[in-house]
Amino acid sequence: MKPRTGAMLALTLLAGLAAAGPARAEDKAQDKDAAAAPTCEVPSYLLATESTLPKVAEAIKNARPLTVLVVGSRSSTILSSENSAYPAKLQAALKEKLPTIPINLSVELQSGKTAEEVDAGLVKLVEAKRPTLVIWQTGTVDAMRSVDPDEFRGAIDNGLVALQNAGTDVVLVNLQYSPRTETMISAPPYLDNMKVVAQQHSVPLFDRFAIMRHWNDAGDFDLFSTFHGTDMAKRVHACLGRALSKFVLDAARLDPAQQN
């Protein structure tokens, strides 16, 4: 099928939310207060995983630097506010929990690329960055382009094999949730395939889609609203970063004494 339009893609991206027009003064004040102290919670079952991160655990146990590489699309960033995007919030949360461990984090954006297109450069990225952990956020572009689900599954499988053979731990991050695009994008085939492949390779899957849907249903965020300002995007990213840090540390199976 032909690719979806850029306008539709923008609807699904938090970066697109952040690029929306300015809010009213009172909305800005409310969002600013909320951004300062996000209250979003994640049910424990959405952060549970049987898969582990042994290389992360080993680095922490031996007090070695923890090097994290985030490979993501445009929804991994906030335009003109990188320090507020979820990778930066993840790094801050890890530093808070592991104050004696150097946390080095870098982001490699693969904007507009499908999983298959990203595959080709994964090994080179790992060779250049030498990460302890790769966080691979994918699926949105494939869903927008209506890539054949079996081809998507094969691309994820090939990518995970390449990363694991390169000697790094991996966390998969799936699509973000957008109630406004549910009738335009069929997310389930991509979500299901990511879950299956992650289980086959014993890779933890951070279910961003289910977590954001929970926040929307619980009223933490109104993701259906036609208006979203930068503050809204910052709040969502802050919550994602905190949740992802907990997910990573839990998957590393650390002793309580190893965390702050």
Side-chain angles (χ1 to χ4, degrees):
M1 295 179 66
K2 293 182 179 180
R4 305 280 185 173
T5 65
M8 287 175 60
L9 178 59
L11 285 174
T12 70
L13 299 177
L14 288 175
L17 304 183
R24 297 190 303 271
E26 60 270 24
D27 291 336
K28 282 187 176 181
Q30 291 173 0
D31 284 344
K32 184 176 182 180
D33 291 340
T39 58
C40 49
E41 298 295 338
V42 181
S44 58
Y45 73 90
L46 288 179
L47 293 178
T49 178
E50 295 182 359
S51 301
T52 61
L53 298 173
K55 296 186 183 301
V56 171
E58 182 182 1
I60 295 172
K61 179 181 179 180
N62 293 291
R64 297 201 304 267
L66 181 59
T67 303
V68 181
L69 171 62
V70 177
V71 180
S73 64
R74 192 170 171 233
S75 63
S76 298
T77 187
I78 300 178
L79 297 178
S80 303
S81 190
E82 294 304 314
N83 290 336
S84 298
Y86 82 75
K89 295 302 183 182
L90 165 64
Q91 183 179 24
L94 289 175
K95 286 182 176 180
E96 181 179 349
K97 289 293 185 180
L98 304 168
T100 63
I101 305 294
I103 308 295
N104 305 315
L105 185 144
S106 59
V107 180
E108 289 290 335
L109 293 181
Q110 305 288 317
S111 298
K113 290 186 179 181
T114 64
E116 183 177 12
E117 291 168 341
V118 171
D119 276 353
L122 284 175
V123 172
K124 288 185 177 180
L125 284 176
V126 171
E127 291 175 347
K129 302 289 185 178
R130 298 187 178 278
T132 316
L133 170 66
V134 171
I135 296 176
W136 186 15
Q137 178 252 301
T138 188
T140 300
V141 175
D142 292 84
M144 290 302 308
R145 293 189 184 180
S146 297
V147 169
D148 183 277
D150 289 337
E151 293 180 4
F152 173 70
R153 179 174 176 172
I156 297 297
D157 182 80
N158 291 338
L160 291 184
V161 169
L163 289 171
Q164 291 180 323
N165 287 343
T168 181
D169 279 346
V170 187
V171 167
L172 273 180
V173 178
N174 62 13
L175 294 69
Q176 64 184 2
Y177 173 70
S178 173
R180 292 184 59 79
T181 60
E182 282 188 301
T183 60
M184 295 183 285
I185 302 172
S186 180
Y190 305 93
L191 298 170
D192 292 343
N193 276 298
M194 289 187 72
K195 184 178 297 184
V196 169
V197 177
Q199 290 174 343
Q200 289 175 338
H201 292 280
S202 298
V203 166
L205 172 68
F206 182 73
D207 198 345
R208 180 173 62 157
F209 186 92
I211 290 170
M212 290 181 64
R213 180 167 58 187
H214 168 77
W215 288 337
N216 183 75
D217 294 345
D220 292 315
F221 301 104
D222 180 9
L223 299 178
F224 190 83
S225 173
T226 56
F227 170 79
H228 297 284
T230 302
D231 289 330
M232 169 75 163
K234 289 180 179 179
R235 289 169 56 211
V236 175
H237 275 260
C239 291
L240 285 171
R242 286 193 305 160
L244 186 52
S245 71
K246 183 178 186 336
F247 184 77
V248 167
L249 294 178
D250 286 352
R253 304 293 192 266
L254 301 178
D255 295 329
Q258 293 177 291
Q259 298 188 49
N260 184 18

